[in-house]
Amino acid sequence: QVQLVESGGGSVQAGGSLSLSCGVTGFAINEYRMAWFRQAPGKEREFVAGVEWSGTYTSYGDFVKGRFTIARVNAKNSVVLQMNSLKPEDTAVYYCGATMGLGYIRNVSTYDYWGQGTQVTVFS
C-alpha cells in the first residue's frame, strides 16, 4: 500500500527555519519524481520544489528565491524540504507528491500520490 506521510511542520517566527520530511512506503522513491506543494486557505495548491529521479535535477517555485532546498534521502526512502528565512506568506499546508509520469513537474495534475499535508505557520 502506497503511503506518503509528511512531518516537521509547526509554528515559527519570521526569519526562522523548518525542515519538512516526507516518508514513503509502498515504493522506492528513486523510481519516482518527488515534489512539495503548498496550499494556503482560499488559494490553489502551488508548486514549491521538485526533484527528478536521479536526485541531481531540482526545480523551485519562483517565490523560493534560494531559501528552500529539496533533497532525496534514499536510505530512508524519504524526501526532505529545508526551509530557511521563512516569511508569513509561507504559511500554508505543505503536501508531498510522487509521480512515475513524465508530466510537467510543476503541475498538480502530474502527481499520482499525495500525503495528508503538514501545517506550517510563520508569524511576524
Side-chain angles (χ1 to χ4, degrees):
Q1 182 179 358
V2 173
Q3 267 195 314
L4 283 66
V5 180
E6 300 96 337
S7 61
S11 296
V12 64
Q13 193 168 20
S17 299
L18 282 174
S19 181
L20 305 183
S21 181
C22 174
V24 175
T25 56
F27 63 82
I29 64 164
N30 59 2
E31 297 177 358
Y32 282 70
R33 304 158 80 194
M34 304 294 297
W36 288 93
F37 284 73
R38 70 185 187 183
Q39 190 165 17
K43 294 188 176 181
E44 294 186 350
R45 192 169 295 193
E46 69 173 339
F47 175 76
V48 177
V51 58
E52 298 285 4
W53 297 273
S54 68
T56 301
Y57 175 76
T58 56
S59 179
Y60 294 92
D62 294 340
F63 61 88
V64 171
K65 300 186 187 301
R67 299 181 297 130
F68 299 175
T69 303
I70 187 171
R72 293 178 179 273
V73 185
N74 288 337
K76 294 185 177 181
N77 213 41
S78 65
V79 60
V80 298
L81 181 70
Q82 177 64 40
M83 304 188 294
N84 300 324
S85 302
L86 284 162
K87 305 175 182 180
E89 51 264 43
D90 293 318
T91 295
V93 178
Y94 284 68
Y95 296 91
C96 176
T99 181
M100 291 189 76
L102 299 175
Y104 186 38
I105 197 170
R106 298 186 177 214
N107 283 353
V108 171
S109 60
T110 293
Y111 294 84
D112 306 309
Y113 301 106
W114 293 96
Q116 83 290 347
T118 186
Q119 176 70 46
V120 170
T121 303
V122 184
F123 56 91
S124 55

